[in-house]
Amino acid sequence: MSSRRPLIVGIGGTTRPGSSSERALVVALRSAQEAGAETRLLGGEFLARLPIFNPGEREPTPEQAELAAAVRAADGLIVASPGYHGSISGVIKNALDTLEALRGDDRPYLTDRAVGCIITADGWQAAGTTLTALRSIIHALRGWPTPFGAALNAASGLFDADGACIEAKDAWQLATVAEQVLDFARMKARP
């Protein structure tokens, strides 16, 4: 078994600093780190600088190249999106569309990587439909959505002033997503 710590890359958030989806992603990445992973966050601030994906462009921007390099190096990913009108947000969809840059790789798109899905939404219906949409996109990118996906109802507040989950059930969901991504990454690393 490899002694290298698996790299788990988190992609998520919104253009609003301190969004619930980015805070949820940070909690999940912290859980993965505590379990032995190396982590990297590509949050809302990064996503806001990522140009709209244009398949006709030949050369990636520095931000597009950074996203592609991070995902290329990742052993697993966690993607966190708000539920906007029953689906993922535009910034998350744009980041996932940008992964077209990995099309010609030896490990194209998200091949051989588990992807944990986290959704925050102001209601259960939006959380459920958004989780389904994100899982479908991960499948289309040849990724392995983890068996458990976190769906958090942000209508009543999710985090305290320190960024910790208010409800134990929400903390459990985020830790479970991180655990499943990390477990899969470790299984793939075995000789």
Side-chain angles (χ1 to χ4, degrees):
M1 187 156 133
S2 173
S3 62
R4 182 182 69 82
R5 292 174 35 185
L7 173 62
I8 308 302
V9 172
I11 299 170
T14 71
T15 57
R16 182 176 49 86
S19 69
S20 61
S21 55
E22 186 169 331
R23 291 172 84 182
L25 180 58
V26 167
V27 170
L29 289 174
R30 188 177 311 123
S31 182
Q33 196 169 30
E34 289 169 359
E38 179 183 343
T39 63
R40 177 161 183 206
L41 171 66
L42 297 173
E45 184 179 327
F46 173 82
L47 296 173
R49 294 190 326 266
L50 192 64
I52 298 294
F53 172 69
N54 177 351
E57 292 291 322
R58 295 286 182 226
E59 292 299 318
T61 66
E63 294 82 8
Q64 290 169 324
E66 181 179 352
L67 174 63
V71 172
R72 190 175 282 125
D75 298 297
L77 290 95
I78 301 174
V79 179
S81 178
Y84 286 170
H85 309 287
S87 194
I88 65 173
S89 70
V91 295
I92 300 301
K93 181 66 166 87
N94 184 53
L96 295 172
D97 287 346
T98 301
L99 299 183
E100 184 65 19
L102 305 178
R103 175 187 197 134
D105 284 11
D106 290 338
R107 235 180 15 157
Y109 303 113
L110 300 175
T111 298
D112 293 334
R113 282 164 278 207
V115 182
C117 300
I118 298 171
I119 304 302
T120 60
D122 283 344
W124 291 117
Q125 182 174 348
T129 60
T130 305
L131 181 58
T132 299
L134 182 56
R135 285 174 175 271
S136 294
I137 294 167
I138 300 308
H139 271 285
L141 289 169
R142 303 180 192 173
W144 297 64
T146 57
F148 185 82
L152 308 179
N153 188 340
S156 61
L158 296 169
F159 304 98
D160 64 21
D162 296 324
C165 292
I166 294 170
E167 299 282 341
K169 66 178 176 50
D170 295 333
W172 177 87
Q173 286 191 71
L174 298 174
T176 299
V177 167
E179 176 186 328
Q180 289 182 355
V181 171
L182 187 54
D183 284 351
F184 185 88
R186 287 180 171 144
M187 283 187 284
K188 287 298 293 177
R190 290 185 184 145

